[in-house]
Every structure is written in structure tokens, then in C-alpha cells.
Amino acid sequence: MATEGIEAVFIETHNWGKSVKFFQGLGYQLEFETDHNSGQLRNGDGPTLFIAEVPADRETPLQLVLKVADADAFEPGDGVEVVTPFEDTHFGTRLATVRDPDGRLWNLQAPAEDRS
């Protein structure tokens, strides 16, 4: 099973409020906000933006998160180094990390397992 495109863009910022205002100015709507200066925005059916504020002395990287329909059915192809296998997250999904040939890390996100 392959990935299914971009699920989300994870953005770290030094100013949560200014970042939200910037993306709202581009047409994004705030879906939810946490109590620790982070939250999720969406514009139409495209990938979500998850923005998290970090201290001023930290870099502010941007990361693409690729969508996987079923973590248990995912089979990485040749040349894909799995750094961390799929694990449950505190925000209700399963996340894995792979490394590309240039050393960049990519997150793969799948729905959480149904444990009912």
C-alpha cells in the first residue's frame, strides 16, 4: 500500500496569533485551537495546517505529513528507510517516520486503529 498524498503541513512558529491571522488572510478557517498556542486550520478539501508555537530560540521548520489509509497494510518500498514504525499519538492518529535518500525525515499519518 502506498501513500495517498499530503495529509497535513506541520508548521512551527514564534507567534501563534500572527501566524493564524496570516493564514486566515489567505482564506484558511480555524478548525480548533489548543490551550498551548497551537491549532489546526483548513482551506477547502486540501491538507490541514497544524501550527504550534515554539520558543524564540528554536528554529521554525515546516514539515509535510503524508497520508496512509491503513498503517497495518503499509509496506515501504525499496529505498524507504523506516526510522520509527507506526505508533499511536496523543492526538488520535498513528504516526511513522521514514528517511529519504538525502536524510530528510518524513512523517506518515494513518487513522488510529479501531479498538472497540
Side-chain angles (χ1 to χ4, degrees):
M1 173 178 287
T3 61
E4 299 180 339
I6 298 171
E7 173 79 2
V9 179
F10 182 77
I11 303 165
E12 292 184 335
T13 181
H14 292 144
N15 189 306
W16 159 251
K18 285 183 179 180
S19 290
V20 170
K21 189 172 186 173
F22 171 79
F23 284 105
Q24 286 175 325
L26 294 174
Y28 284 80
Q29 302 296 317
L30 183 63
E31 287 192 327
F32 68 84
E33 182 175 356
T34 70
D35 59 357
H36 52 273
N37 293 333
S38 66
Q40 182 170 291
L41 296 96
R42 182 181 297 274
N43 186 349
D45 293 332
T48 60
L49 301 181
F50 189 87
I51 303 173
E53 187 173 295
V54 297
D57 62 345
R58 266 186 52 188
E59 290 188 35
T60 54
L62 177 139
Q63 184 174 22
L64 298 178
V65 179
L66 302 178
K67 181 178 184 178
V68 173
D70 181 351
D72 294 329
F74 179 74
E75 293 288 333
D78 289 342
V80 178
E81 176 190 351
V82 176
V83 177
T84 56
F86 280 98
E87 299 174 344
D88 293 337
T89 67
H90 68 280
F91 44 90
T93 65
R94 297 184 74 200
L95 204 62
T97 305
V98 296
R99 185 183 333 269
D100 74 15
D102 293 307
R104 287 181 291 264
L105 298 178
W106 295 81
N107 281 335
L108 307 178
Q109 183 169 279
E113 291 181 352
D114 183 12
R115 298 180 191 247
S116 52

